[in-house]
Amino acid sequence: MWEQIRSNQVRSVILIALIAGLLLAVGYFLGLYFFDSAVGGLVIALVVWAIMSLIAFYQGDSILLGMAKARKIKSDDAPRLYNVVEEMKIASGLEKMPDIYIIDDPALNAFATGRDPSRASVAITTGLLQKLSRDELQGVIGHEIAHIKNRDVLLMAITSVMLGTIVILSWYASRFLLFGAMTGSGRRTSSRGGGGGAQAIILIVGLVLMILAPILAQLIYYAISRKREYLADASSALYTRYPEGLASALEKIGGSTRQLKSANQATAPMYTVNPFRKEGMKAADLTSTHPPISERVRILRSMAGGASLADYNDAYRKVRSGKQGIISKNAAAAVGAVGIRQASLSVPGELGLAPGKAAGKAAPGTHDASDIMLRLDKWRTVDCECGARWKIPPGFRDNNILCTRCGRRIRL
Amino acid sequence: MLALWIVLGIVVILILFIIGAYNGLVGFRNQVKNAWAQIDVQLKRRYDLIPNLVETVKGYVKHERETLEAVTNARNLAQKASSAGAAERGKLEGALGAALGRLLAVAEAYPDLKANQNFLALQEELTSTENKISFSRQYYNDSVLKFNNKIQMFPSNVIAGMFSFKIGEFFEVTVAAEKEPPKVSFT
Amino acid sequence: MLCPVCHKDALIVEYQDIELDYCPACHGVWFDAGELELLMASAGFEDFRRYLEGILNAPEPDTPERKHKCPACGHKMKKAYIDRDNKILVDICKDGDGIWLDGGEIQHLVKTLAESSPDKGDSQGVLAFIGDMFKHQD
């Protein structure tokens, strides 16, 4: 594992330097064009970046969780989820138990955030919690814990902030440029008539850069995150010793994207307004499309021999039919043979909350996960003798309700 | 004069090496201890859960007295040996795990039991504890391997011999119990 | 959830894994998109989204009924007929978050669906169950 993280770090530093270079170039041309001073532009770019980085470093995780309306839970609120996170904490050798958050959303999603392994959080939507069996949940949590353990979370925060800065600067710059061009009052012509060719070249280079920089930065960002997604999958398989868990969870997540379009459309505006949040979510987002989900599933399913990193590497080569693996040789060899364990017997959904439900019934309509949210909000639950279950909000003042099914009056 | 300095230099380097190697060994030994403590927490948790489980299951499964007794006995044996070495404990914990597996498999045949909230909660806790035991065992064995390598390999083996570091014991749960997952029939 | 009509806290009632929001003050019922999907699927409507879109795309009738905001997304909902003959107007979220039925309208919805449901077996039970759900009101 060590070697792998090391080699990743070198690669990451290079990519971060690339993005930083891009950021400086944007600032340079911004200054040159608007203030006749390249240094001024550089200073602006650096100041914006520094402020955003400081915020991201100290408050990034709470901003992210706050925007996602995530609720922190304790072990009593969702025993199974808490247990699974603790299991993965032990398996990964993480020193501190991460905080656990639930997001009340039918979309299938999970992400990890935090500055370093000792201050980290995992968040999961109620939709995903509801759909996954214990083994699948373990696979997903293993993947998120791997992001924390491999320090992907901080790296993604750094790069996404830089990316966000580039996007913001380029956006404003291009708006000003367009506005200037349309009104035809470009001061470049009036103030420096004699500049001629060199001026025009700078203008064109600057324009092209403003348009390309965000795209380029995005591509670099993907390059960083893609490999890390594979590595987190490999780590998850190693931690859980059960690649099938993550594979079938990914399948559920991938299969549901079409149905959830409405939810995505609803949240889409929020994403575009705030690039920081958008990229932050992507950082460790399981559903992020970069490595295609189907391929990730196929790799996990091809892990025939065992659950070690070397096994994942072999599977990766086989599926991609390439010579190069995703994990360096030393890292793959560092861990000995790891067997794949048996599937555990469990059904989707949070456990032991609704009485009378047969354990074998994997009902898609159960509301255990959303019930966790209700309990966090201090809702009361009363069961009517006719079998209907009433959930009463904390602000409800009446001392009784009428069961509309059977006509009984239930005292509260 | 020069010779004296050289000898002095070698002595200093030697002392520094000894300090470094010794501290390294202590670090590894602490890691092993720490890892063992983690397993111990989970094993204790399992001892605590079992009486509750037996109590809950008793009312539902009338014809499984032997299975229940086997679990209770295995638990008591394992708990009694809780200060023994890793190898000895591994055997007893393996037996307990197997007995527990049989009980949970038997429970599958009782729908009423499987609808019992208390049982479901206990089942989740036990499943999780089993997982935590095996995950922390993995971590412990990795730590022992690293520690033992240090003790046996040159040059740190010299220091280990000087301060009589003893190699760590692996925690292996009896293979028979591991290879035999609870048999469940979905009827 | 707040009732879109009287803006008071709505109750949630769960029965046989279907969960609905119910306002005890005005007896209105909110069908969340997910619940609607479950309900429709169990009633044998495979392409319930088309049914919904049919309602959604119909021209908005001219009506004096007051418009309400969707309790899920907060946008103004659209008025739509689910039973033109009996003048049953419901509020439907333009983003597809769900449908709001005023007190009494649910029985009509169930009736319409029961008549157009392709298979007359199991689905009738489910629909009857939803109808039964709110039959007692004070």
Side-chain angles (χ1 to χ4, degrees):
Chain A
M1 208 73 240
W2 236 92
E3 311 284 332
Q4 185 52 42
I5 293 166
R6 199 4 110 55
S7 86
N8 250 336
Q9 272 166 353
V10 173
R11 196 185 137 96
S12 302
V13 167
I14 295 170
L15 289 169
I16 288 180
L18 270 176
I19 296 196
L22 212 52
L23 175 69
L24 292 178
V26 168
Y28 182 87
F29 281 102
L30 196 76
L32 213 57
Y33 188 75
F34 289 105
F35 315 110
D36 288 338
S37 145
V39 179
L42 283 179
V43 169
I44 288 181
L46 285 175
V47 166
V48 172
W49 174 71
I51 292 173
M52 284 180 67
S53 291
L54 279 176
I55 294 173
F57 189 77
Y58 287 104
Q59 290 299 320
D61 48 354
S62 31
I63 292 174
L64 197 63
L65 291 163
M67 290 230 243
K69 292 213 175 71
R71 303 283 303 264
K72 192 168 169 176
I73 59 136
K74 295 193 293 290
S75 65
D76 297 345
D77 300 324
R80 175 184 282 180
L81 176 62
Y82 190 91
N83 278 338
V84 167
V85 174
E86 197 176 357
E87 286 163 25
M88 289 299 98
K89 176 228 160 206
I90 292 172
S92 64
L94 209 64
E95 300 102 65
K96 199 176 155 291
M97 181 79 179
D99 291 336
I100 307 169
Y101 288 82
I102 294 185
I103 302 165
D104 193 10
D105 194 314
L108 307 187
N109 213 339
F111 66 89
T113 177
R115 159 164 83 215
D116 54 56
S118 64
R119 180 188 156 167
S121 313
V122 290
I124 184 167
T125 60
T126 46
L128 190 57
L129 196 57
Q130 191 73 66
K131 279 243 160 61
L132 299 184
S133 73
R134 198 177 202 290
D135 284 337
E136 291 163 347
L137 183 64
Q138 207 182 41
V140 168
I141 297 294
H143 176 100
E144 298 308 333
I145 296 276
H147 277 309
I148 296 171
K149 181 80 179 168
N150 300 349
R151 293 176 181 269
D152 296 352
V153 178
L154 178 65
L155 176 88
M156 287 298 148
I158 293 173
T159 45
S160 59
V161 165
M162 275 203 261
L163 175 58
T165 314
I166 291 174
V167 169
I168 288 175
L169 289 179
S170 306
W171 194 83
Y172 279 111
S174 59
R175 286 313 109 131
F176 279 125
L177 279 178
L178 267 180
F179 184 70
M182 274 189 328
T183 51
S185 67
R187 66 192 175 92
R188 59 193 181 277
T189 43
S190 54
S191 65
R192 285 185 310 264
Q199 209 57 42
I201 289 169
I202 287 178
L203 172 66
I204 290 166
V205 171
L207 255 175
V208 170
L209 190 70
M210 294 303 165
I211 296 163
L212 283 187
I215 302 167
L216 263 176
Q218 191 95 31
L219 285 177
I220 298 170
Y221 181 80
Y222 283 170
I224 298 179
S225 79
R226 182 167 290 172
K227 193 175 177 191
R228 281 166 186 273
E229 289 299 318
Y230 285 122
L231 189 60
D233 282 356
S235 307
S236 173
L238 173 68
Y239 297 160
T240 60
R241 290 176 291 153
Y242 189 65
E244 176 56 29
L246 181 58
S248 86
L250 283 173
E251 231 169 30
K252 281 187 183 173
I253 293 168
S256 80
T257 44
R258 219 175 330 139
Q259 298 166 18
L260 284 161
K261 228 167 202 164
S262 62
N264 290 339
Q265 273 165 3
T267 46
M270 250 173 7
Y271 279 64
T272 39
V273 167
N274 193 327
F276 171 47
R277 179 188 183 235
K278 178 184 162 199
E279 302 316 325
M281 286 291 274
K282 268 190 188 153
D285 180 353
L286 263 175
T287 65
S288 88
T289 48
H290 338 155
I293 283 183
S294 59
E295 187 179 289
R296 291 168 63 190
V297 171
R298 252 181 297 142
I299 294 171
L300 287 165
R301 292 243 160 96
S302 307
M303 294 174 70
S308 71
L309 295 179
D311 293 317
Y312 187 87
N313 219 16
D314 293 342
Y316 179 87
R317 270 199 295 258
K318 206 162 80 192
V319 168
R320 313 250 304 186
S321 47
K323 283 201 179 71
Q324 215 190 350
I326 190 82
I327 296 157
S328 69
K329 222 183 233 158
N330 287 344
V335 186
V338 181
I340 294 177
R341 69 170 169 80
Q342 296 277 327
S344 74
L345 301 156
S346 83
V347 291
E350 184 55 45
L351 176 116
L353 297 163
K357 248 171 227 165
K361 189 175 152 211
T366 50
H367 300 89
D368 297 347
S370 53
D371 281 352
I372 296 173
M373 297 305 293
L374 292 184
R375 266 180 302 152
L376 286 174
D377 288 333
K378 306 225 176 329
W379 283 55
R380 282 173 295 171
T381 305
V382 284
D383 289 320
C384 180
E385 284 168 50
C386 70
R389 159 174 288 210
W390 290 87
K391 298 168 188 177
I392 297 127
F396 194 73
R397 292 276 164 259
D398 293 356
N399 60 3
N400 69 79
I401 53 166
L402 180 81
C403 177
T404 55
R405 199 177 118 71
C406 60
R408 281 191 190 87
R409 204 157 268 288
I410 308 168
R411 291 193 64 81
L412 298 176
Chain B
M1 198 58 202
L2 183 69
L4 185 70
W5 279 115
I6 289 173
V7 170
L8 210 63
I10 289 173
V11 168
V12 167
I13 288 172
L14 212 61
I15 289 173
L16 283 179
F17 162 73
I18 292 173
I19 292 173
Y22 178 81
N23 285 348
L25 280 165
V26 171
F28 277 113
R29 191 170 61 188
N30 285 344
Q31 198 189 338
V32 168
K33 259 192 209 159
N34 186 24
W36 179 253
Q38 276 190 34
I39 298 183
D40 213 38
V41 168
Q42 301 306 333
L43 291 177
K44 287 217 172 78
R45 171 108 183 102
R46 186 157 74 169
Y47 302 150
D48 292 344
L49 286 170
I50 287 171
N52 283 336
L53 179 77
V54 170
E55 208 47 50
T56 311
V57 171
K58 220 190 250 167
Y60 291 88
V61 294
K62 296 277 185 287
H63 313 292
E64 309 286 350
R65 270 184 61 133
E66 282 168 34
T67 321
L68 282 170
E69 271 169 17
V71 170
T72 310
N73 289 340
R75 174 204 173 268
N76 293 343
L77 273 178
Q79 195 180 25
K80 242 179 238 154
S82 60
S83 51
E88 171 71 11
R89 284 191 81 176
K91 229 183 284 166
L92 293 169
E93 296 296 343
L96 174 55
L100 212 49
R102 274 195 297 277
L103 177 59
L104 291 177
V106 160
E108 288 292 316
Y110 295 81
D112 288 353
L113 179 59
K114 277 164 62 193
N116 179 311
Q117 286 304 291
N118 210 358
F119 174 73
L120 284 176
L122 277 168
Q123 196 185 29
E124 161 61 25
E125 283 308 308
L126 272 168
T127 309
S128 182
T129 308
E130 295 287 323
N131 285 347
K132 286 169 193 163
I133 289 171
S134 75
F135 289 139
S136 47
R137 182 166 62 97
Q138 195 173 298
Y139 180 67
Y140 169 80
N141 284 343
D142 284 351
S143 309
V144 169
L145 182 70
K146 275 188 234 156
F147 180 54
N148 289 357
N149 281 346
K150 266 276 178 252
I151 290 181
Q152 289 163 344
M153 280 180 190
F154 186 80
S156 50
N157 64 344
V158 181
I159 315 299
M162 271 164 63
F163 296 96
S164 55
F165 278 86
K166 287 195 193 71
I167 59 166
E169 243 180 307
F170 287 102
F171 183 55
E172 296 295 353
V173 173
T174 327
V175 184
E178 280 265 281
K179 286 258 168 80
E180 224 173 82
K183 297 249 180 340
V184 183
S185 56
F186 295 93
T187 43
Chain C
M1 189 194 96
L2 287 182
C3 168
V5 178
C6 35
H7 306 291
K8 283 183 191 144
D9 275 319
L11 302 174
I12 296 175
V13 58
E14 182 190 328
Y15 186 68
Q16 294 186 356
D17 291 338
I18 294 203
E19 204 180 68
L20 299 167
D21 297 271
Y22 166 74
C23 173
C26 68
H27 309 310
V29 179
W30 170 253
F31 275 78
D32 175 82
E35 304 302 329
L36 206 57
E37 183 169 4
L38 276 173
L39 174 68
M40 300 296 234
S42 58
F45 286 93
E46 290 299 331
D47 51 353
F48 90 101
R49 280 200 179 269
R50 226 173 44 207
Y51 174 79
L52 262 193
E53 273 163 23
I55 298 181
L56 207 54
N57 292 335
E60 189 156 8
D62 196 23
T63 166
E65 254 186 61
R66 207 157 57 87
K67 289 214 171 194
H68 302 302
K69 280 180 185 153
C70 169
C73 64
H75 295 145
K76 268 228 170 86
M77 289 191 285
K78 186 181 163 176
K79 293 279 176 196
Y81 278 115
I82 50 165
D83 183 350
R84 201 170 288 279
D85 305 336
N86 294 315
K87 295 240 179 321
I88 303 302
L89 261 185
V90 298
D91 299 83
I92 182 163
C93 171
K94 289 172 193 158
D95 299 336
D97 285 333
I99 300 184
W100 173 261
L101 296 112
D102 290 326
E105 284 177 351
I106 192 156
Q107 274 77 3
H108 285 279
L109 174 71
V110 167
K111 219 174 76 194
T112 345
L113 287 180
E115 281 158 11
S116 56
S117 173
D119 84 283
K120 298 279 172 193
D122 297 348
S123 63
Q124 300 301 320
V126 177
L127 291 169
F129 142 74
I130 290 295
D132 278 356
M133 208 58 227
F134 301 99
K135 67 183 172 197
H136 293 276
Q137 262 150 18
D138 47 10

